[in-house]
Amino acid sequence: MTGDEDHSVEPRDDWRIVPVWRVEERGRKLSLRQARLWALVLESRYIESRLEPGPRGWQIWVAPENYEAACRELNLYVEENRNWPPFLPTVHPMKENTLPTLSILILLATFHNLTSLDLKVLGHYPVDWIDIGNAHAGLILKGEWWRLVTALTLHADALHLVSNLAIGGVFIVYLCRDLGSGLAWTLLLASGVCGNLANAYIQLPSHTSVGASTAVFGAVGILGAVTMTRYRHHLRRRWPLPIAAALSLLVLLGTEGERTDLGAHLFGFLFGCLFGFVAELLVGYVGRPGRLANALLALASASVVVYAWWLAIAQSG
């Protein structure tokens, strides 16, 4: 292949121009970028060509014996790529999932208020919720796996809770409307649990943390992966949104303050990206979960949280 700056092919006087109308139904001005692309197509088929500027844009020149073959190969290329990239997929948000999602967020706030009360639970009085439920790295690695779950439902104070609900709630509501509440909360729980586990491995054994922010960062990662997978043919228009959201959330919630657990935030985001990518691939093949599947997934996630707290309280005695 030759371009305007490449003269490795020696042209002959009888070389012919490949007219645009022989390749596309409507002739148009051929840009340098398009001409180079067509020349690459010909080169891949071992057809020598050269580019030259003409009165109506750039021109593709080929030897006479290659003229018909060049027209045929370019026609095949244009036909195969006529509707590429494909149209943006149509996604109808499941608005009915908004209320259940908000209800769960309110339940999380209510639970925070309950942890500040002196309550007798399973015969234990009083219950130190933070002590038995925080993500203690050393105890997690010794087998107290339930702390990976319970820590996600605890918050150090009201400000900690409000920041997670206000910022994370937006991402979580959007995610539940997109994938369905059951699948979305399952992915959030998985991201939070895996994020806490990975963080426990890199921290000192005495390290402790609480908060739903690991799952919140998981929500950002899930949304980012879903968006970039679903619109992978339109990344020029779509990729800045999830990246900007992740960086903004990291600045607002993830790097400031003495009690900020940057490791948990980072791992929550990374696992969110992983689970979001896998989930979107599966959704692309089998479709979004129906009502029954979402209900079963939601029930399973809730059962894991309840069982984790039951173990935490039972083991505290």
Side-chain angles (χ1 to χ4, degrees), residues 12-263:
R12 303 199 306 260
D13 293 337
D14 58 347
W15 275 35
R16 300 178 61 182
I17 300 173
V18 178
V20 178
W21 61 265
R22 283 293 306 269
V23 180
E24 297 186 341
E25 293 180 359
R26 52 179 183 177
R28 61 180 176 81
K29 182 179 178 180
L30 196 62
S31 67
L32 176 60
R33 179 177 177 275
Q34 187 68 26
R36 284 175 171 169
L37 182 59
W38 285 11
L40 280 174
V41 173
L42 296 179
E43 182 182 23
S44 69
R45 308 306 298 171
Y46 306 102
I47 299 176
E48 292 182 331
S49 65
R50 76 174 190 269
L51 308 183
E52 289 187 1
R56 294 193 58 197
W58 287 82
Q59 299 172 334
I60 302 284
W61 292 71
V62 296
E65 62 270 20
N66 293 329
Y67 178 78
E68 292 299 331
C71 292
R72 183 174 59 254
E73 294 297 338
L74 291 175
N75 269 291
L76 288 173
Y77 167 78
V78 170
E79 185 62 30
E80 290 174 358
N81 293 274
R82 189 174 299 281
N83 294 319
W84 189 266
F87 296 110
L88 289 172
T90 302
V91 179
H92 301 287
M94 295 182 280
K95 298 180 181 179
E96 66 275 10
N97 289 309
T98 302
L99 182 58
T101 304
L102 292 176
S103 300
I104 295 175
L105 295 176
I106 293 173
L107 181 62
L108 184 61
T110 303
F111 179 73
H112 171 73
N113 292 328
L114 292 177
T115 60
S116 62
L117 303 176
D118 292 335
L119 299 176
K120 184 177 181 179
V121 183
L122 297 179
H124 298 277
Y125 180 83
V127 176
D128 189 339
W129 300 92
I130 297 293
D131 181 63
I132 67 174
N134 68 72
H136 191 291
L139 295 179
I140 288 174
L141 297 181
K142 288 182 180 180
E144 296 189 12
W145 63 266
W146 53 85
R147 291 177 178 270
L148 301 170
V149 180
T150 56
L152 298 173
T153 65
L154 295 171
H155 292 85
D157 50 43
L159 180 61
H160 188 199
L161 172 70
V162 170
S163 63
N164 276 329
L165 293 184
I167 300 175
V170 176
F171 295 98
I172 294 173
V173 168
Y174 187 86
L175 186 62
C176 289
R177 285 163 59 102
D178 190 291
L179 298 177
S181 293
L183 177 57
W185 281 107
T186 300
L187 295 175
L188 287 168
L189 182 62
S191 300
V193 168
C194 292
N196 281 338
L197 178 60
N199 194 44
Y201 273 101
I202 68 167
Q203 299 288 355
L204 295 173
S206 59
H207 177 81
T208 62
S209 65
V210 294
S213 53
T214 307
V216 170
F217 275 87
V220 179
I222 295 168
L223 278 174
V226 166
T227 300
M228 297 187 74
T229 304
R230 182 179 299 163
Y231 305 107
R232 56 189 177 276
H233 304 308
H234 304 269
L235 288 185
R236 285 188 177 182
R237 285 184 285 173
R238 291 285 179 166
W239 75 264
L241 179 61
I243 301 300
L247 293 177
S248 299
L249 190 60
L250 185 64
V251 172
L252 290 173
L253 192 63
T255 59
E256 299 292 335
E258 296 179 356
R259 290 178 294 187
T260 298
D261 195 338
L262 183 58

